Amino acid sequence: MSGTKPDILWAPHQVDRFVVCDSELSLYHVESAVNSELKAGSLRLSEDSAATLLSINSDTPYMKCVAWYLNYDPECLLAVGQANGRVVLTSLGQDHNSKFKDLIGKEFVPKHARQCNTLAWNPLDSNWLAAGLDKHRADFSVLIWDICSKYTPDIVPMEKVRLSAGEAETTLLVTKPLYELGQNDACLSLCWLPRDQKLLLAGMHRNLAIFDLRNTSQKMFVNTKAVQGVTVDPYFHDRVASFYEGMVESTRHNWSGLDKQTDIQNLNEERILALQLCGWVKKGTDVDVGPFLNSLVQEGEWERAAAVALFNLDIRRAIQILNEGASSEKGDLNLNVVAMALSGYTDEKNSLWREMCSTLRLQLNNPYLCVMFAFLTSEAGAYDGVLLNKYIEKLTNEMKEAGNLEGILLTGLTKDGVDLMESYVDRTGDVQTASYCMLQGSPLDVLKDERVQYWIENYRNLLDAWRFWHKRAEFDIHRSKLDPSSKPLAQVFVSCNFCGKSISYSCSSVPHQGRGFSQYGVSGSPTKSKVTSCPGCRKPLPRCALCLINMGTPVSSCPGGSKSDEKVDLSKDKKLAQFNNWFTWCHNCRHGGHAGHMLSWFRDHAECPVSACTCKCMQLDTTGNLVPAETVQP
Amino acid sequence: MFVARSIAADHKDLIHDVSFDFHGRRMATCSSDQSVKVWDKSESGDWHCTASWKTHSGSVWRVTWAHPEFGQVLASCSFDRTAAVWEEIVGESNDKLRGQSHWVKRTTLVDSRTSVTDVKFAPKHMGLMLATCSADGIVRIYEAPDVMNLSQWSLQHEISCKLSCSCISWNPSSSRAHSPMIAVGSDDSSPNAMAKVQIFEYNENTRKYAKAETLMTVTDPVHDIAFAPNLGRSFHILAIATKDVRIFTLKPVRKELTSSGGPTKFEIHIVAQFDNHNSQVWRVSWNITGTVLASSGDDGCVRLWKANYMDNWKCTGILKGNGSPVNGSSQLGNSNPSLSSNIPNLQNSLNGSSAGRYFFPPLDSPRAGSRWSSCAQLLPPPAPLVEHSCDADTANLQYPHPRRGYLSRPLNPLPENEGV
């Protein structure tokens, strides 16, 4: 962007807008323009479209890089990295929203001035902006700014600020970044990992690094020259592409160094999921039970609401809810008593309150009230008593008895879960749900349960009877992924007429290298045989009854992985997809040929194409002529 | 609603039985005209007769299909005291031009001294076996040890029922927890005859079939009997056609509680008994999931029965053979108003996309002395087991559950066949 090479940025949310940045920022709007007349400042893009200049911003000199704010609002906010390392927020919009007015013109200043190479907005926390700078001795080169952070005039010496900027703007300077990374290095490119707010991928000098903001002392890196630009595969987050001087490199990252952190994250996600399933929180990651409490109160579930409030350490709210419950029409006056007891809560270990509560709570009938006192009287960290084992056991048994699928939350995919599912299947005959459910998450010992296997067999039979063969095959594929023991063995081998070995490349060992003779004079490397020859003895395979050419089905897992073979293999993969080339033969008369040729022959003929053979190959199998249900349905 | 389509079967006498094959694409009929006809369903849904041949020298009572993994195989039984096994062969006839297939007799089973009243292939996991029963009260079980050779059948078991037998049904369960089991019904009308349904179970130790249960409550002549497809259930459901429709459940008492080696003990409950036909019930037949029972009776109607989640069985549809509507939900014998609203839904789900899925033979007015005046056969409905994900109401209907609402979606990961 250094004046000579303009850069173009598309707006993240409006497909018809873009910015051209060279010495200034120009915002364009794409319009259809069939007429030949163009407005002043417009660019013709094609025969029927043109870009109209909407606005020009020349507030920020020495631009080195620009990044467009990712949120919808304000939509025309841009971060500009300058030659002196400063990052300036500027806007191209006409609509200066008052809420974001303060942001415009805000500057983020590094300790030492050097060129700013790259900028990246965090996709999850829209206020985070990462800036990559050139190297300056032992200073950091990756700075992460919070654009909403308070200005820090008190930390920065006032005179320095005055030197660097006009008096009116002193309050708009930020000098304290959120994170400083990449000490003693230069940063050329940056990219946030799409799903993780705290992982930043950076193209540093001679390596690609991943910074984990949860633990800034740690970084993982791979040495590569391709650091000029970097981006993450949006569908496969372990794959990263980077480039330098016209070369693109793709890297697969091993995240092992970060496993521990992600585990914690997962645990948290699981907890949130559990809370969601219990209805405590709505979708999203914020754990605010307020609305949930209100809805419980409205439905008159005072005890539950109070317990939830208490678990969120809001004892005052719990007492308030209980009082509300006592005073309401349907409520129980005893709730007042409970509230009173709650208010007497004390942290002392040997208090009378504690003693009374732990004995009397056993007489409470309502599980929520019971669990509240168990929670308050238990030792910190020891929540066994709180878990209401008896109640849960009773509930589990009820669920099992009733075949209520929600009970799986209690039993998990265990033996108990199978019992529950058995009573569900007994009631419904729904082997589909049972099969998928048990297949999905259950460990192998549950899968081995006879009942589970029986459901699966019944389900597969059912699909077969309905001619949902494709679905059944897909189910089998899915199943073999989760339960490798269910994988069927290969059904058919084709063996060579001469040597009797299987002609499948994957089954044969390395071709005979020692015997250099190749009877049928295949030119090229002697270690590679033609697909139309037996990989064992290199004699030709049988001929197609129709085209009279030797058959051969290319197999991609061909042995011999030298570099020169790779390109050949690629073309083979393509061929493998062509069913027309496959071997096919009649089990009755043993005549056969290329699948495509055979199919087209039997479209018009009933008898085998081999002369004097009267076998009616295609009519032998009635089931084979049935059409799968998937293809007949509209 | 239902559409009844009649097929001009062109049998020269009363049709006694109709049977669908495993996939529901073929159908076989048999008649007092001593012939069997095979019907194939075309892509357009029409049924075409592709074979018709004389099978016996007497009325053919029953015809039944073997599982397609044994080939295209039929068995028939007749008043001429024999049962026969037929196989379709391809490419050896000159009838190709007429679109006719060729069936050859592979064996004749001649052990019975009296009319053979029923024949049924065993569930396929038992191999290629079939059972016959005859008017002299003997059930015979045959096996073809070489499934590739249909002309060799050996008589494995002879079970004496002491009552003239009219119908048999294999328990379809392939669970290893369940031994092979066969239920036999009797239409013996002599005044001293007692219980009409007996259940025999195979004993691994003695390698013999032994009587496991007798349904003492069934004392009237039984015309048909049918175990429901098991579909993973731990217990068995048995439907009986007598002067009314009855449904029994047989829950095996857990093996560890019974003395090992002896026959399985069952807890037997009658879960439904309907006299809505107001006449003799001739046939009962289950849908493929064992959730809907069809019964046909001398009133000229086919009635459909279904249980809700609480195992309350209700009538969910009435079909008249001539296609005329049967008026009024009052006839449904349905006292539960909440269920009646579900009936159209159920019928849609059963009906599937095509009206040709049910076949109801033309119903003559019942003749005096005819053994069977009507028959019903429930075809496996191609509608998926768990009703389509696009229709939440239907799913709830199938598996009504008071508290399932929001949990049901994720458990239905299979993309159903779109567009039905």
Side-chain angles (χ1 to χ4, degrees), chain A residues 206-387:
Chain A
R206 291 195 180 283
N207 65 47
L208 273 182
I210 294 174
F211 293 105
D212 186 349
L213 302 187
R214 291 165 295 203
N215 180 1
T216 50
S217 62
Q218 205 183 349
K219 82 169 181 185
M220 285 174 44
F221 59 89
V222 266
N223 290 327
T224 170
K225 274 196 283 182
V227 294
Q228 298 281 353
V230 61
T231 186
V232 181
D233 186 336
Y235 299 106
F236 184 69
H237 295 173
D238 287 3
R239 187 155 52 207
V240 163
S242 60
F243 70 86
Y244 73 104
E245 295 169 351
M247 288 285 283
V248 177
E249 222 176 78
S250 169
T251 317
R252 241 217 93 187
H253 280 276
N254 179 2
W255 298 92
S256 59
L258 301 164
D259 274 356
K260 210 170 169 194
Q261 282 87 346
T262 20
D263 276 355
I264 296 166
Q265 178 98 1
N266 284 347
L267 211 68
N268 201 25
E269 274 169 20
E270 278 165 20
R271 180 168 176 269
I272 286 172
L273 181 66
L275 289 176
Q276 277 175 7
L277 287 172
C278 297
W280 285 29
V281 290
K282 292 265 177 297
K283 286 224 164 66
T285 49
D286 53 327
V287 187
D288 177 20
V289 293
F292 177 57
L293 286 182
N294 291 337
S295 70
L296 282 182
V297 167
Q298 264 175 10
E299 285 161 31
E301 294 190 55
W302 318 104
E303 294 91 347
R304 189 171 173 206
V308 172
L310 187 70
F311 292 157
N312 285 284
L313 307 179
D314 192 349
I315 202 167
R316 199 165 285 279
R317 178 94 172 94
I319 291 170
Q320 185 199 334
I321 288 170
L322 287 174
N323 285 334
E324 237 175 275
S327 54
S328 80
E329 273 178 40
K330 289 170 281 176
D332 182 357
L333 271 181
N334 287 334
L335 291 180
N336 264 333
V337 184
V338 177
M340 210 177 346
L342 265 189
S343 60
Y345 168 69
T346 163
D347 210 10
E348 270 175 59
K349 280 213 172 118
N350 299 319
S351 64
L352 185 63
W353 183 88
R354 227 160 226 263
E355 204 177 301
M356 291 315 290
C357 283
S358 37
T359 49
L360 288 179
R361 78 179 174 88
L362 297 175
Q363 295 171 20
L364 287 169
N365 285 328
N366 185 297
Y368 287 108
L369 296 182
C370 186
V371 84
M372 277 163 77
F373 287 103
F375 177 72
L376 289 178
T377 54
S378 65
E379 301 288 323
Y383 295 121
D384 288 348
V386 188
L387 287 177

Side-chain angles (χ1 to χ4, degrees), chain A residues 50-323:
Chain A
T52 324
L53 184 62
L54 290 183
S55 67
I56 292 185
N57 180 328
S58 50
D59 298 346
T60 47
Y62 319 118
M63 273 193 285
K64 282 292 166 188
C65 49
V66 183
W68 204 312
Y69 188 62
L70 296 176
N71 254 21
Y72 282 98
D73 193 33
E75 61 179 21
C76 278
L77 186 67
L78 293 166
V80 177
Q82 292 175 309
N84 58 4
R86 291 182 176 216
V87 179
V88 184
L89 296 184
T90 186
S91 167
L92 282 163
Q94 304 86 339
D95 48 347
H96 277 253
N97 197 328
S98 61
K99 196 168 142 200
F100 297 97
K101 219 169 181 176
D102 320 349
L103 290 176
I104 311 299
K106 211 164 172 182
E107 282 189 49
F108 304 89
V109 187
K111 242 181 269 166
H112 298 100
R114 56 254 152 92
Q115 180 170 312
C116 178
N117 291 322
T118 179
L119 290 169
W121 291 98
N122 189 308
L124 294 174
D125 188 330
S126 59
N127 289 336
W128 286 18
L129 175 64
L133 306 168
D134 268 349
K135 184 177 166 178
H136 187 278
R137 297 197 186 147
D139 200 1
F140 297 93
S141 64
V142 179
L143 304 178
I144 293 164
W145 303 98
D146 182 350
I147 58 164
C148 287
S149 75
K150 291 277 178 294
Y151 322 128
T152 51
D154 45 356
I155 295 171
V156 184
M158 283 310 264
E159 59 272 45
K160 199 173 174 184
V161 171
R162 264 191 217 108
L163 283 175
S164 59
E167 275 84 356
E169 289 172 339
T170 47
T171 51
L172 289 173
L173 285 185
V174 181
T175 54
K176 184 104 183 81
L178 215 51
Y179 296 95
E180 294 174 308
L181 307 158
Q183 202 165 15
N184 204 1
D185 207 345
C187 175
L188 297 166
S189 54
L190 286 170
C191 179
W192 292 93
L193 292 184
R195 270 200 215 143
D196 213 320
Q197 192 194 333
K198 303 225 163 163
L199 291 180
L200 176 65
L201 190 64
M204 309 300 284
H205 183 59
R206 291 195 180 283
N207 65 47
L208 273 182
I210 294 174
F211 293 105
D212 186 349
L213 302 187
R214 291 165 295 203
N215 180 1
T216 50
S217 62
Q218 205 183 349
K219 82 169 181 185
M220 285 174 44
F221 59 89
V222 266
N223 290 327
T224 170
K225 274 196 283 182
V227 294
Q228 298 281 353
V230 61
T231 186
V232 181
D233 186 336
Y235 299 106
F236 184 69
H237 295 173
D238 287 3
R239 187 155 52 207
V240 163
S242 60
F243 70 86
Y244 73 104
E245 295 169 351
M247 288 285 283
V248 177
E249 222 176 78
S250 169
T251 317
R252 241 217 93 187
H253 280 276
N254 179 2
W255 298 92
S256 59
L258 301 164
D259 274 356
K260 210 170 169 194
Q261 282 87 346
T262 20
D263 276 355
I264 296 166
Q265 178 98 1
N266 284 347
L267 211 68
N268 201 25
E269 274 169 20
E270 278 165 20
R271 180 168 176 269
I272 286 172
L273 181 66
L275 289 176
Q276 277 175 7
L277 287 172
C278 297
W280 285 29
V281 290
K282 292 265 177 297
K283 286 224 164 66
T285 49
D286 53 327
V287 187
D288 177 20
V289 293
F292 177 57
L293 286 182
N294 291 337
S295 70
L296 282 182
V297 167
Q298 264 175 10
E299 285 161 31
E301 294 190 55
W302 318 104
E303 294 91 347
R304 189 171 173 206
V308 172
L310 187 70
F311 292 157
N312 285 284
L313 307 179
D314 192 349
I315 202 167
R316 199 165 285 279
R317 178 94 172 94
I319 291 170
Q320 185 199 334
I321 288 170
L322 287 174
N323 285 334

Side-chain angles (χ1 to χ4, degrees), chain A residues 402-403 406 422 424 426-432 436 454-455 459 464 466 468 471 616 619 622 626 632-633, chain B residues 23 43 72 90-91 173-175 230-232 234 309 381 383 385-386 399 403-404 412-417 420:
Chain A
E406 284 174 29
E422 182 179 26
Y424 172 76
D426 278 354
R427 277 175 169 70
T428 62
D430 178 4
V431 281
Q432 175 170 272
Y436 270 96
Y454 183 50
W455 297 330
Y459 179 51
D464 281 342
W466 283 329
F468 284 129
K471 298 281 181 248
K616 294 188 176 171
Q619 296 171 7
T622 316
L626 278 179
V632 247
Q633 301 292 342
Chain B
H23 294 292
E43 289 304 319
Q72 294 297 307
V90 188
S173 169
S174 64
S175 166
N230 178 269
L231 223 76
S234 60
Y309 199 81
L385 164 65
V386 171
Y399 306 111
R403 299 187 55 198
R404 258 194 78 190
N412 195 6
L414 184 75
E416 304 291 358
N417 76 327
V420 169

